Every structure is written in structure tokens, then in C-alpha cells.
Amino acid sequence: LLNTIRELKNLDVAVFFERENINTLHAEGEFMLTLLASFAEEESRSMSMNKNWANKKQFEEGVLVGLTHLYGYDIINNQPVINEKEAEIVRMIYNDYLSGMQSKDIAHKLNQMGVLRKRGGRWKPSDISQLLNNEKHTGNALLNKRYVIDPITKETTYNKGEKAFYLVENSHEAIVSKELFDAVQEEMKRRTSHKKTTKKHNKPFTTLMKCGACGANFNRKKTPVR
């Protein structure tokens, strides 16, 4: 807010806030905005803390969240109910993966079949990976997988043990068995372990030269002489 106001002020552009009666070109304008922005920021933090507390209580009580766009289910009366047409696709994806198909091949197969994602659009390999990693298709729900790390920007990150997880067993009807799900997880680990790691060839100035504006590393590039 303040950066934008100052940039406009340098261009002799005023922003007038009618309710607060603040003109940014006046001497006291930025001071009042700083106070109001600080209050708004703290209010946002407070609301975020209350939201986190409410989420924690829901997790402890086993309230399911994050099922609205889960492929294979429809939400009826706030409860996940199997969508049989989509459930058949889920089982096909699991079986195809165990038969040796890659995620990109399965995505291509679904697109060729004209099958759309839950929210529409074509399938991507990442969609297949996310589906195969989602334990909710087994009728169990692992809660608090992601959490907000900044209440101002609303940036979220995956929970890697920093926060408590909550496992709700037999929370809804299963599409695939726990044994099939575990077999897919083992196959995913096996394939990952067999991937070849590429060796990085560091040059004398690798990571030493950085952009003064964004901090990104400069890359070495050869330009052919014409």
C-alpha cells in the first residue's frame, strides 16, 4: 500500500480516501495511512489465528475438509458420496499405473477417451500423481496436509511435520482398497529410486554472480560467432 502511494505521489497523483478523509498529497496523509494499514494488517493476522484455531478444532473432531473437488466423489449434505462413473476411472488409473504405465501415458489415455477432470479441462501428469497420492480414495482422510505460513500474503506450504497431522479412519466409503493404494505407493518409490540423477557441472563463477534486482543467479551462455 505505502509503496504504491509513494510511487503515485512522486508522479503528483493523489489518492483520496473518502471515508477516512485522507489525501495522500497532504503532509499527514502517509502518516494516517501507515496507522490504518498497520491496524488492517494486525486484524488480518488476528483473523488468520482464529481461522487456524477453528481448523485445528475441526481436525481434532474429524471433520472432513478439502473434498469439494476430489475426483470420484460428489458432496451431498456435506458428506462425500461415491460417483460411480468417476470411481471406475479412479480404479482404472490405479490399475494402469501398477501395470507399468507412466503418469503421462495415463493422462494421455484419459484425454483420448474424452474424460474431463473434476473441474473440467485436460488431464496432466501432475493430476495423475496427485490422484495416486490421495489416501482419501481408501476411505481414510489425512488432515492438515497444507497450512498458511503468511497470514498477509495467504501463502501456503505442504506440512512436512512442522504441524500435527490428523488421520480420520473409515471416514467415508472407499473406492480402492488400502492394499491397492499401498502397492501404488511402493511402485512410485521404486520408480523414483531408479531415476538417474544428472551430475551438475559447476563453473568457476557458479552461484557467485547474482542479479542486483531480484537476487537470481546468472547463467553461463555461449553465443556462436557469426
Side-chain angles (χ1 to χ4, degrees), residues 31-216:
F31 173 72
M32 292 300 299
L33 277 179
T34 302
L35 289 178
L36 293 173
S38 297
F39 293 149
E41 183 173 325
E42 287 307 310
E43 183 180 7
S44 180
R45 292 185 188 278
S46 177
M47 291 173 62
S48 180
M49 290 177 63
N50 291 338
K51 176 65 174 171
N52 289 337
W53 181 86
N55 287 342
K56 184 173 182 294
K57 286 297 180 184
Q58 284 186 316
F59 294 152
E60 291 174 349
E61 294 170 3
V63 177
L64 300 184
V65 295
L67 297 178
T68 307
H69 303 295
L70 179 62
Y71 196 85
Y73 293 93
D74 294 325
I75 304 301
I76 300 176
N77 296 326
N78 294 323
Q79 291 297 321
V81 178
I82 289 181
N83 179 318
E84 288 298 338
K85 185 177 179 180
E86 293 181 356
E88 286 301 315
I89 298 297
V90 172
R91 298 184 187 103
M92 183 188 73
I93 292 173
Y94 273 78
N95 290 322
D96 283 348
Y97 190 83
L98 283 181
S99 71
M101 292 181 67
Q102 300 288 342
S103 295
K104 62 178 182 179
D105 300 323
I106 299 175
H108 178 72
K109 177 181 177 179
L110 292 174
N111 292 329
Q112 289 293 101
M113 293 171 58
V115 177
L116 299 178
R117 298 185 305 164
K118 192 71 173 180
R119 286 183 278 187
R122 295 170 61 83
W123 291 81
K124 301 186 294 293
S126 58
D127 299 323
I128 303 301
S129 298
Q130 291 176 7
L131 187 147
L132 292 172
N133 273 309
N134 200 327
E135 80 295 330
K136 292 184 178 69
H137 291 116
T138 67
N140 303 306
L142 185 62
L143 307 179
N144 207 26
K145 292 180 182 178
R146 294 180 67 93
Y147 64 95
V148 177
I149 59 176
D150 190 329
I152 306 302
T153 64
K154 309 303 180 186
E155 182 182 356
T156 63
T157 187
Y158 283 102
N159 184 2
K160 297 181 180 179
E162 302 89 349
K163 304 287 184 179
F165 288 103
Y166 301 86
L167 178 62
V168 185
E169 296 182 308
N170 301 318
S171 56
H172 53 284
E173 192 175 357
I175 292 177
V176 299
S177 66
K178 183 67 165 55
E179 291 73 22
L180 179 59
F181 178 81
D182 290 341
V184 166
Q185 304 313 301
E186 289 299 320
E187 177 63 14
M188 295 179 79
K189 290 180 183 178
R190 187 191 70 79
R191 295 186 190 184
T192 302
S193 64
H194 281 71
K195 286 184 179 179
K196 294 181 179 180
T197 56
T198 56
K199 185 178 180 180
K200 293 183 178 180
H201 299 283
N202 291 332
K203 302 298 180 181
F205 295 102
T206 299
T207 72
L208 296 181
M209 300 180 68
K210 299 179 181 293
C211 174
C214 68

